[in-house]
Structure formats: C-alpha cells, structure tokens
Amino acid sequence: MFDARIVADQVSPAAKPKIRVLFYTDLIGFSGNGGFSLGILRDLILANQPFFAQFQIDLINRHEGGHAAKKLTSAVLGGYEQVWFFGLLQSNMPGEPENELVDAEVAALRTWMDAGGGVLITGDHSNPRPPGADPSLPDYLNLGRALGHRVPRAGELRVWNDRPDSSIEFSHNTHQPDPWGSDINNPIPNDLDPYPQELILRKRLGRPHPLFQGRRGPITIFPDHMHEGQLLIPERLPVEVWPTGRGGQPKPEIVAHGTDKRNGQVYGVSSVYDGAAAGVGRIVADATWHHYFDLNLWGFEKDGEVLDKLTEFYVNLTLWLTPKPVKLEVNAELLYWLSRSLSVRAVLPEGFRVPGITAAGLVREVAGQGVLDDLVWPLEGTPSVPEELLLGAVVKESVAALGDGDFEAFDTAGVVERGLRAGAEEYAAELRTALGDVEGLSEFISQGIR
C-alpha cells in the first residue's frame, strides 16, 4: 500500500510491535457460507501490514465445539489488542440460552475495554423475532444482536431492536446502480458487481476522519448492499459509562454516511468513539458487516483502485483501534526510521518546522493521518501547538538519542517528552515574539494615519 522505496532499509533492528486482532463470530468463518465469510478481509490486511508493525488475525466462533463453548473471558481477551464483532444470531433461543453474551463476558469486556482494548461492532438489518424467542422481545431484532447488544459502550452505537429490516419498504438500500439497469432491490448481481457505493464524509478542519484518509486522497467508497442496518448516537452519555478525560468528554460521532439509492435519504454507515482521549479503548461502529464480507468484495478487481482504497480503510481501522501501549511501540519504530531518513536529516538544521513538515509527509505516505496524529500527540485531547513544531522537535530528539544507533537503549517516553516540551517552548517563544511585535502598534497606526 505504501511505496516501499522510501522505506529502504532504514528500519529498526528490533522486533516489530504486534497488533493482535480477534474476529469474534457466532457462525461466520474465513470461508464458505455463500460468501458470508471474512477470508478476503483477513488476507487484505495481512498482505498490506506496514513495516512498523506486525498484524495477527484470529477468528473464534462462539459455538464451535458446542453451544457457547468459546465464550469471551479475561484470558481470551488478554491475548488481543482489539475485537471485531461479526455476529449473525438475533437472541437467546430454546436450547440455545447463551447466544447472547452473559454477565461474566460483559464484565470481562468492560475491564478490557477500559484498559484500552479496541472494538469494531457490526451487525446488519433486522428480521422478525424468531419463532420460539422470548415473546417479551421487540417484534424486530437485528442480525448480530446476540453478540453485539451487550458489548459495553459499543452496543449502544447501533439499532438492535427495530427496523430497518430487509423489506423493500423499510430497508436502507445503498446499492449503486449498474449500467445494465439491474433491480437494486436484488442482492445478486448488485453485491457482486464492481460498483461500490459513494460515501459522504464528515470533515473537520477540512479533513475526513483518519479512517477515511488515504495516501492519495479521501476514501470515499464502501461495498454496497440492499439492506443495511442503522447506527445510533445515544441521547445520554453518563460519565460512568462514557468517561471524561483531561480534554473533556469524547463523544461518539458519525463520520461517514451512505445514500439510499431509491429515495435519496442519507444514513450513517460508520461512527467512531475516540475513547483514547478518556483513557479507554476506541470504538468503530458499522451499519453492516457487508462492508467486510467476501460476498461484497468478490466483484472488485484484484489490485484495482476500489480494492486498494478499501484495503487502506481496513488497515487504517486496524491501526486506529490499537491501544496506547502498543502505539508507543509503533511510535518508537517510526521515530527510528525518521531519524535515519536522509530526507529528514537534510533539513535538520532548519529549526523545528521544516524537519517536522518533512517527517509528517513521510509518515502520511507510509502510515496515514491516524498514525501521524498519535505520533505527534500521544496524549489525551488535541494539541494546541502546530503538529510540525511538535514532530520536528521530537524527531530532533530522536536523532540525538540514536546518534550511535543503539535502539535497545532508546528511551521512547523520554525522547517524546523532551521533544514535546521543546516544541511547546518554541511555540511559546514564537507567540511572545508576535506579541512583542504588535505591542504599541495601535498607537503607531493612529499617529501615522492622523
């Protein structure tokens, strides 16, 4: 995905930090099921892992070996940095009393997520309540509800107990029409064609969320589907559930929308919660697992533009959900590489800004904006100092610390702290100079004009 030529051989001799991802399902596997499978997703991510990290992807089927034989426990969760939920079942059923997460699993997830574990929560549309299910449940239950609705915080970000369903009247249809005039209300051939849906991206300061920032521009496409689910932003965000950090309370937000091709209505397809800003795990919620399934990826040309953009999104997602301790290891790898880059070394005498701008461009090229954000400011909240000043100062500290090339002795925390302090002090000095330049300017203007 990135141009390996600019990486060259200037990489750390240390082992790459490992980012371990668990796909947790109740039916879906890596193959089979008529394309309701995750093999292509896994292969795309593993084939495009960056030079500064090593990805591991495992899949656990909750019911493999017997009903609820493979529950989520603290021991299981401790082996992963993030969990991606791909559930199909709707609820507990007679003879299947633990299709839904039990209290012990919810408690284990809460502890793990509070410690930084990242979560992707998915599902799909709703179907009528299955015959035999608890009659007190709503008439419509979402596909994936059994695994998803009790996941702490993440479970609140999707509609589980109501429409949209799979009917033409009450569904969310994002099928991009094909040139042959195929009925967009039919899954085949539309799920299999090479035409993705176009996204509407929410932007902040002119940029989409880092998940949707590609190396060559915004990632504005997703696989399409005839009946997607619906995202939800909770009306109440009590701090005991959605904690507050030093920069305030981070709130979930929808960052990408899709359009119903029948009526033009716009729906959220991807939302994020930056829990890292409050010291807990990040969350991404998706309107449907069809954005990840083989069935919806088969139609895109291998190594083609569409699949390349989707791969960038999947890798961005993996990196963005990674907890802070591993990100600090990633930062160490990147700082080593930047300190060895001749492009950076050539401009080191130019203060902080120029090396910072150069380094930022390199990181965007090989890692994306999300990784750059966490490298520039590995703390809560958003920095008030320009990123080029902070990054330039940290890179200069890295070059000094790695003067003899001893990566084993590289104190990442110390280097970053000294660099951030130096960047902040440089910015303060710039502001003081600017303030001095304008002191007395009002009187000077008045005297000159009169």
Side-chain angles (χ1 to χ4, degrees):
M1 278 176 43
F2 58 85
D3 192 335
R5 293 173 295 182
I6 69 172
V7 175
D9 58 352
Q10 306 296 333
V11 296
S12 162
K16 298 179 182 179
K18 184 171 283 189
I19 299 174
R20 302 164 298 177
V21 183
L22 172 62
F23 292 177
Y24 193 65
T25 86
D26 52 20
L27 179 65
I28 310 304
F30 283 133
S31 62
N33 292 321
F36 278 59
S37 48
L38 298 161
I40 295 177
L41 173 66
R42 174 199 59 190
D43 294 346
L44 288 173
I45 295 173
L46 293 181
N48 292 279
Q49 53 193 323
F51 71 90
F52 50 81
Q54 179 183 353
F55 294 159
Q56 172 186 322
I57 298 177
D58 298 327
L59 185 147
I60 293 179
N61 183 334
R62 179 178 184 81
H63 304 301
E64 184 179 356
H67 176 69
K70 295 186 177 179
K71 293 186 178 73
L72 290 173
T73 64
S74 297
V76 170
L77 293 169
Y80 299 96
E81 279 69 52
Q82 44 193 283
V83 178
W84 297 15
F85 286 90
F86 296 104
L88 184 71
L89 301 179
Q90 295 167 278
S91 66
N92 292 334
M93 296 290 291
E96 299 175 348
E98 294 180 341
N99 285 339
E100 302 180 28
L101 300 181
V102 301
D103 290 347
E105 292 177 287
V106 174
L109 273 167
R110 182 175 291 109
T111 298
W112 176 80
M113 293 170 69
D114 285 350
V119 165
L120 169 68
I121 193 81
T122 71
D124 198 37
H125 62 80
S126 288
N127 278 345
R129 183 180 65 244
D134 183 347
S136 68
L137 291 173
D139 292 338
Y140 284 85
L141 302 176
N142 197 261
L143 295 175
R145 175 186 175 277
L147 287 189
H149 80 107
R150 297 198 69 198
V151 178
R153 286 187 288 274
E156 298 185 39
L157 301 181
R158 298 189 80 260
V159 173
W160 299 110
N161 299 322
D162 199 355
R163 288 168 164 147
D165 60 15
S166 60
S167 67
I168 292 177
E169 182 181 7
F170 296 110
S171 62
H172 291 175
N173 189 327
T174 64
H175 267 162
Q176 185 71 26
D178 65 30
W180 301 281
S182 299
D183 184 355
I184 64 171
N185 293 308
N186 290 328
I188 307 298
N190 293 285
D191 275 10
L192 296 169
D193 69 24
Y195 306 105
Q197 64 171 299
E198 291 288 333
L199 301 178
I200 303 168
L201 301 179
R202 179 177 180 178
K203 295 184 179 181
R204 180 169 293 166
L205 300 177
R207 293 177 175 175
H209 189 273
L211 288 176
F212 293 93
Q213 292 190 38
R215 293 188 306 114
R216 297 294 180 264
I219 301 168
T220 58
I221 55 172
F222 256 2
D224 56 2
H225 187 60
M226 63 179 288
H227 30 58
E228 301 195 3
Q230 183 164 323
L231 300 177
L232 181 67
I233 300 298
E235 293 183 3
R236 296 179 60 255
L237 297 167
V239 294
E240 61 269 20
V241 177
W242 304 87
T244 298
R246 284 174 288 187
Q249 184 188 41
K251 299 177 180 179
E253 58 178 338
I254 295 175
V255 293
H257 291 81
T259 305
D260 192 313
K261 299 307 188 296
R262 302 160 309 171
N263 54 33
Q265 292 189 42
V266 174
Y267 308 103
V269 297
S270 183
S271 66
V272 301
Y273 168 67
D274 187 7
V280 298
R282 286 172 166 170
I283 299 169
V284 174
D286 202 292
T288 175
W289 20 242
H290 280 285
H291 298 151
Y292 307 87
F293 279 178
D294 291 356
L295 174 70
N296 302 83
L297 297 174
W298 280 337
F300 302 129
E301 179 184 0
K302 185 178 180 181
D303 298 323
E305 181 180 0
V306 171
L307 208 55
D308 282 351
K309 285 183 174 293
L310 292 174
T311 300
E312 282 197 273
F313 170 79
Y314 300 143
V315 173
N316 286 349
L317 175 61
T318 307
L319 294 170
W320 194 77
L321 287 176
T322 298
K324 180 178 178 180
V326 180
K327 288 197 171 182
L328 292 178
E329 297 179 37
V330 166
N331 287 353
E333 296 281 331
L334 287 168
L335 290 174
Y336 180 95
W337 172 65
L338 290 170
S339 73
R340 290 290 181 264
S341 167
L342 292 181
S343 296
V344 173
R345 284 177 170 267
V347 294
L348 276 180
E350 303 292 332
F352 288 163
R353 284 186 183 272
V354 175
I357 291 171
T358 303
L362 288 170
V363 175
R364 286 193 190 96
E365 185 69 21
V366 301
Q369 186 65 40
V371 172
L372 176 61
D373 289 345
D374 291 323
L375 177 63
V376 168
W377 191 249
L379 302 169
E380 297 176 17
T382 304
S384 55
V385 181
E387 71 174 19
E388 65 269 17
L389 278 181
L390 294 175
L391 184 56
V394 171
V395 168
K396 282 202 165 190
E397 284 291 334
S398 299
V399 172
L402 288 164
D404 58 0
D406 184 6
F407 186 76
E408 294 296 327
F410 185 64
D411 174 19
T412 309
V415 165
V416 171
E417 180 179 358
R418 293 194 299 273
L420 293 180
R421 288 183 183 275
E425 290 169 1
E426 176 71 12
Y427 189 50
E430 289 182 0
L431 294 177
R432 285 193 293 269
T433 299
L435 182 60
D437 289 343
V438 299
E439 284 183 353
L441 190 59
S442 178
E443 182 64 23
F444 179 81
I445 292 172
S446 296
Q447 292 177 355
I449 294 296
R450 294 172 186 171

